[in-house]
Amino acid sequence: MTHDVTHDSSGMSYGDYLDLDTLLDAQHTRAVPPQHDELLFIIQHQTSELWFKLVIHELRSARELIAADQLAPALKRLARVKHIQATLSQQWTVLATLTPSEYAQFRRFLATSSGFQSLQYRIVEFMLGNKNPDMVKVFEGRTNAIAELERELHEPSLYDVFLQLLARRGLPVPPELLDRDWSRPYPASEELVDVIASIYRKLDEYWDIYETCEELVDLEDNFQLWRFRHLKTVERIIGMGRGTGGSAGVPFLRRALEQTFFPELYAVRGRIAEGTIGS
């Protein structure tokens, strides 16, 4: 008697497990008459949101693990996030096949919607430390979204819990960085650059912390690459015109490239390059 590998006595199919009926029925085009390229636009953004969901899942776990002094599994989480970031950046090449003429065929049907309104993207930025209470106002009228964003706004960022770990390891992290209003933007500290420099000066003593510093730099580097690919894709499709929902488009995205999550991890590089981190 042959075994039918497609049969499952529980009645659970591949489609059932992944809830594919729901997932594949979530692409609702709006253009009238229908436009071929609108499906690309929808799927591009839906898949990005799915990846953001996993990024949030991994970052929350990494934050909890760092808070529990478990750096090894935390670094595994961050390594996975880096691979997701690479996938998200590569996805822009698919959307970049959309020409200005093709986008113009359905753009008006987006109405006031905009990627600027992505709750999950904003949560990721908050988790990495780019806190801005004004961003909560973007979600006015969406009670659940505001509640979730407010919770994250008042949580310490990934960097904040890392600095707390440094303090527990006996490093002289400035006290004002350890006990502050987490909802406010992170205040860069020259004193902390000295602390980070001591880590880079004594690799044998602080190897796991040093490795975490470099993982965080990777995260920011990847995030900036994603921002840049976003900027260039938008510029390719709409030029310097305004984005949907009244957003500023390319100028806004260009300003975002100046934002940094972990300023001291970059400042210390200047000291190393200049040979001024001491002995």
Side-chain angles (χ1 to χ4, degrees):
M1 175 182 246
T2 58
H3 178 64
D4 182 0
V5 295
T6 65
H7 177 69
D8 181 351
S9 59
S10 71
M12 173 74 75
S13 71
Y14 173 79
D16 292 337
Y17 179 73
L18 296 177
D19 201 5
L20 288 182
D21 286 345
T22 301
L23 183 65
L24 299 179
D25 193 40
Q27 295 73 46
H28 306 297
T29 56
R30 312 279 179 167
V32 180
Q35 298 298 321
H36 174 83
D37 299 292
E38 189 180 6
L39 186 62
L40 159 64
F41 191 84
I42 292 171
I43 289 177
Q44 169 86 25
H45 290 84
Q46 286 183 338
T47 52
S48 293
E49 290 294 334
L50 286 172
W51 285 123
F52 284 147
K53 183 172 184 175
L54 185 55
V55 167
I56 291 167
H57 176 70
E58 299 295 341
L59 288 179
R60 282 184 173 150
S61 178
R63 185 169 59 185
E64 291 170 1
L65 289 165
I66 292 172
D69 296 309
Q70 298 182 47
L71 279 186
L75 294 182
K76 175 63 186 292
R77 305 292 193 269
L78 298 184
R80 181 173 292 162
V81 171
K82 291 194 300 183
H83 286 290
I84 298 168
Q85 289 177 308
T87 298
L88 281 165
S89 292
Q90 182 62 25
Q91 278 190 189
W92 289 119
T93 64
V94 182
L95 191 62
T97 64
L98 184 68
T99 69
S101 298
E102 291 164 348
Y103 182 46
Q105 297 300 312
F106 63 86
R107 181 181 182 180
R108 67 187 177 90
F109 293 96
L110 274 64
T112 58
S113 66
S114 168
F116 189 73
Q117 300 158 349
S118 170
L119 171 65
Q120 292 195 124
Y121 172 79
R122 194 58 56 194
I123 289 173
V124 170
E125 284 228 331
F126 280 10
M127 294 185 79
L128 293 178
N130 187 20
K131 300 288 186 74
N132 183 347
D134 289 340
M135 288 296 101
V136 179
K137 300 174 185 175
V138 173
F139 301 91
E140 189 174 359
R142 296 174 57 190
T143 305
N144 291 341
I146 286 179
E148 188 171 357
L149 203 53
E150 283 281 3
R151 279 194 300 273
E152 194 55 54
L153 182 66
H154 291 89
E155 287 285 335
S157 71
L158 185 70
Y159 197 43
D160 290 323
V161 297
F162 177 59
L163 298 186
Q164 292 170 344
L165 179 141
L166 298 187
R168 291 194 299 274
R169 292 285 187 93
L171 288 160
V173 177
E176 64 271 18
L177 299 182
L178 301 172
D179 184 18
R180 64 183 187 85
D181 182 353
W182 307 123
S183 71
R184 307 307 303 176
Y186 173 79
S189 166
E190 276 297 318
E191 289 181 70
L192 184 60
V193 179
D194 294 334
V195 175
I196 301 297
S198 70
I199 295 169
Y200 279 74
R201 195 166 55 238
K202 301 175 182 178
L203 300 186
D204 290 341
E205 183 176 350
Y206 298 119
W207 182 264
D208 60 341
I209 297 176
Y210 162 72
E211 185 179 11
T212 306
C213 288
E214 288 299 293
E215 286 290 315
L216 293 175
V217 171
D218 285 346
L219 279 185
E220 174 153 340
D221 195 33
N222 285 350
F223 202 96
Q224 291 289 47
L225 287 173
W226 181 87
R227 281 173 168 164
F228 180 74
R229 288 301 304 145
H230 186 190
L231 161 68
K232 299 308 291 184
T233 302
V234 171
E235 187 176 45
R236 177 177 180 138
I237 296 173
I238 66 169
M240 297 299 291
R242 292 192 68 80
T244 55
S247 61
V250 167
F252 171 80
L253 297 175
R254 190 165 285 144
R255 288 194 299 274
L257 289 173
E258 299 301 317
Q259 297 169 350
T260 180
F261 300 121
F262 318 124
E264 293 84 5
L265 297 184
Y266 283 87
V268 77
R269 284 160 157 69
R271 292 198 187 180
I272 296 170
E274 295 166 2
T276 57
I277 67 168
S279 59

